[in-house]
Amino acid sequence: MDAIQHGWFSEIQNELWPGQSFSLKVKTVLHKEKSKFQDILIIDTETYGRCLILDGIIQCTTRDEFSYQEMISFIPLCSHPNPEKVLIVGGGDGGVAREVAKHPKVKEIHQVEIDDRVVDLSKKFLPEMARGFDSPKLKLVIGDGFKYMKDHKDEFDVIITDSSDPIGPAESLFKESYYGLMKTALRVGGIVCSQGGSFWLDPSHVKEVMTGCRVHFPNVSYAVTSIPSYPCGHIGFVVGCLDQKLNLNTPKQLFSSKEIDEMDLKYYSSSIHTASFNLPRWVHKYFYESQ
């Protein structure tokens, strides 16, 4: 079934959110192709701006992408006392690279994206996100993130995994073994942050990912951000730290309002950082008290 019907794109028939659908009214189909790895669709919508869709699932829209990009980047960066060297796995639209490059302590960014077509098309159709690739701090590699980490042990302070949902090419990025691989690429006290799914959609999946992370990281937590174009209007991040004593809820880097504005941060702040870890009571009990 075509995902665009009667002028509307819909996320339908998806095993990750059965029984519900999210739809956007389409102005124009800007690009459509099948790469070596996935179906790529880019549309211009009536109310959410331009939208990148991979294998029928919305990855980002220009209306609300900043809330995801800023939080998946600044939560681990500001939790770490000195995040000088950062690895991004995925993130082919360039948004996470754009945000990571803003952090004043970050000196070097390595990014590994498997699908060069996502990068090329984002540069053409999503330039506000893809300008992250222009940072002089960034080294972009088109290739396999697993192999890259195996070849770069004990190198990074922070690893950010900006993946699609846990089906298809990205499924392995949610496994316990993936957290073990990330651990080998981290320096002492390193932090990882990965897209962790929504507790409204499947809390058992989120808990399973957190449990897998705890096998390798003594300090694991879960934070959330609000983003209306994702199912249920929000998404979470699994954060793992090799320093058991580090309080992830409290940012180690505090920014003034002036600094926030100069970095063009629209969502993240020190207070939002702390608030993002404060979960509804039933979620907190399920994730932390029923292990």
Side-chain angles (χ1 to χ4, degrees), residues 60-163:
C60 55
T61 78
T62 53
R63 176 179 175 178
D64 62 5
E65 52 88 11
F66 61 87
S67 65
Y68 173 86
Q69 321 281 14
E70 290 182 17
M71 293 294 278
I72 198 173
S73 303
F74 273 79
I75 285 175
L77 292 176
C78 291
S79 295
H80 195 288
N82 192 29
E84 292 186 344
K85 191 171 183 179
V86 179
L87 173 65
I88 303 168
V89 179
D93 53 58
V96 171
R98 179 193 66 197
E99 298 306 323
V100 172
K102 293 176 180 178
H103 196 286
K105 288 190 176 181
V106 172
K107 296 179 179 178
E108 188 177 342
I109 307 166
H110 292 229
Q111 180 170 357
V112 187
E113 163 62 47
I114 198 166
D115 197 337
D116 61 325
R117 291 301 294 153
V118 175
V119 174
D120 293 340
L121 293 170
S122 295
K123 288 179 178 179
K124 181 176 181 180
F125 294 106
L126 303 167
E128 279 302 303
M129 279 179 275
R131 63 187 169 91
F133 296 124
D134 298 332
S135 171
K137 298 179 180 181
L138 181 74
K139 174 187 176 183
L140 176 64
V141 175
I142 302 300
D144 184 350
F146 284 72
K147 183 179 184 305
Y148 197 83
M149 283 187 279
K150 288 175 182 177
D151 294 339
H152 294 78
K153 297 188 185 224
D154 307 312
E155 281 199 26
F156 303 101
D157 299 305
V158 172
I159 299 175
I160 298 168
T161 304
D162 178 18
S163 69

Side-chain angles (χ1 to χ4, degrees), residues 203-219:
S204 63
H205 166 71
V206 178
K207 186 174 181 179
E208 181 182 350
V209 175
M210 293 178 69
T211 299
C213 184
R214 287 189 182 106
V215 172
H216 304 282
F217 291 83
N219 187 355

Side-chain angles (χ1 to χ4, degrees), residues 6-9 23-29 43-51 61-63:
H6 309 295
W8 289 78
F9 167 81
S23 300
L24 291 172
K25 190 172 184 182
V26 179
K27 289 170 65 177
T28 310
V29 175
I43 59 177
D44 193 15
T45 71
E46 289 283 347
T47 54
Y48 276 76
R50 293 189 173 190
C51 178
T61 78
T62 53
R63 176 179 175 178

Side-chain angles (χ1 to χ4, degrees), residues 72 159-161 173 178-179 182 192-196 236-239:
I72 198 173
I159 299 175
I160 298 168
T161 304
L173 302 180
Y178 179 67
Y179 283 94
M182 285 194 289
V192 297
C193 183
S194 301
Q195 192 261 90
F237 310 107
V238 174
V239 187

